[in-house]
Structure formats: structure tokens, C-alpha cells
Amino acid sequence: MHALLILLKLGLGLILATGCSAAQGSSVQKSDTPLLHFQKTPCLGVCPSYEATIMENGTILYIGHSHVPVLDTVIFTLPRQQLEMLRQEASHLNYTSLKDSYLTDWSDMPSTITTFFKAGKEVKRVKQEEGGPKPLLDFQEKVHTLIMGLADEEAKKRLPVK
């Protein structure tokens, strides 16, 4: 996971240094730390596959892999109200009490991997393929919906102007 954080920070720095249009105007600070890393893994079908690192300041580094609205690396900014809602939801989830994994016997099931951070350090990583407590499933669905909403907005911005 340490290597992943280094890659994410390098990717974030590269995007900011090159002046990516999605990054312009964002208030990314070098000292910002991760709050949550959320990943959907692929399957043999049309499962969405992407990862997103949500930073403490609301910046999101999104990397779309397959079957998502944007197949690219993009920086989103989460509005303060949504960031606070996400923090509260994570707090109410009591994530440190969750199992490390909720797996299935099926070979083609996608995973949702949720990694929680506190003060920039990984506290808990949960790999969920099937089942798990309802609060975890609800939290994952909210995060997925939030990220896909931002990706949809980005995809619409990229449509050609007629």
C-alpha cells in the first residue's frame, strides 16, 4: 500500500505540473493526505473498474480503468458538504471493527476494496466480493455513486460542442 501511495502522489504531482484542465483551479496542497482509497476491480463482464483516492481536502484522484464514464486519470474536487458527509458516514461505519475480507467462492466476482486512512496512515483495508454487513455495503454504494456522479459530469464536459 505504501508503494500505491507513492504512485498516487507522483501521479497527482504530474497531473498538477502538466496543467491538466481538470486540475486547474483545484486547491491541492502537497501536504494533503489521503482519507479514503476506493477501488472497484474488473470482472469478465462489464463491471466498472476504477480507483479513487479521496484526500482530506476533498481532492479526488480518479483513475478509470474499464466500463466507467471516463477512462483517464482526472482530479475532481468534492464539495465541502459532501466531504463532511463522507467523513461522518465513515465514522458511523466503525470500520476498524470490520473483517479484512468478505469473499465468495465464485471466480469471476469483482471486488470493492475500501482503504481507510487516519492522519495519512492506513488504518483498515476491507476487500468485499460478496456479502458483508449492510452498513459497509451502504457506505460502498454511496461512495461509488458519488464518484460515478463526478465521472459522469466530467464525461459530459468532454462531449464535442455542437
Side-chain angles (χ1 to χ4, degrees), residues 5 9 12 16 27-35 53-61 76 83 87 119-120:
L5 283 175
K9 287 182 180 183
L12 185 60
L16 292 174
S27 58
V28 178
Q29 301 171 358
K30 288 183 181 179
S31 64
D32 200 28
T33 56
L35 173 67
T53 302
I54 302 170
M55 304 298 214
E56 289 282 349
N57 71 352
T59 299
I60 300 174
L61 176 61
F76 301 128
L83 179 62
R87 280 192 178 118

Side-chain angles (χ1 to χ4, degrees), residues 32 34 58 68 77 84 103 112 123 135 140:
D32 200 28
V68 289
T77 302
E84 288 308 314
L103 305 178
T112 301
V123 175
Q140 290 175 332

Side-chain angles (χ1 to χ4, degrees), residues 67-87:
H67 306 291
V68 289
V70 178
L71 300 174
D72 199 356
T73 300
V74 184
I75 295 188
F76 301 128
T77 302
L78 195 59
R80 185 174 304 279
Q81 183 180 13
Q82 288 180 320
L83 179 62
E84 288 308 314
M85 182 262 327
L86 191 63
R87 280 192 178 118

Side-chain angles (χ1 to χ4, degrees), residues 2 79 85 98 130-131 161:
H2 181 67
M85 182 262 327
L98 296 169
E130 185 176 54
V161 179

Side-chain angles (χ1 to χ4, degrees), residues 7 11 22 25 29 42 49 57 73 82 84-85 91 121-122 127 129 143 152:
L7 286 172
Q29 301 171 358
S49 176
N57 71 352
T73 300
Q82 288 180 320
E84 288 308 314
M85 182 262 327
S91 175
K121 296 195 187 307
E122 181 178 328
K127 181 177 183 177
E129 292 176 348
V143 173
D152 281 337

Side-chain angles (χ1 to χ4, degrees), residues 87-139:
R87 280 192 178 118
Q88 289 176 5
E89 297 273 341
S91 175
H92 289 102
L93 179 58
N94 193 17
Y95 55 83
T96 56
S97 68
L98 296 169
K99 290 184 190 179
D100 291 339
S101 58
Y102 299 91
L103 305 178
T104 182
D105 292 330
W106 297 93
S107 62
D108 182 39
M109 291 295 286
S111 299
T112 301
I113 302 168
T114 310
T115 308
F116 299 89
F117 293 85
K118 187 159 190 147
K121 296 195 187 307
E122 181 178 328
V123 175
K124 184 70 173 185
R125 180 179 186 266
V126 179
K127 181 177 183 177
Q128 186 272 331
E129 292 176 348
E130 185 176 54
K134 185 171 177 6
L136 171 64
L137 301 175
D138 290 346
F139 179 77

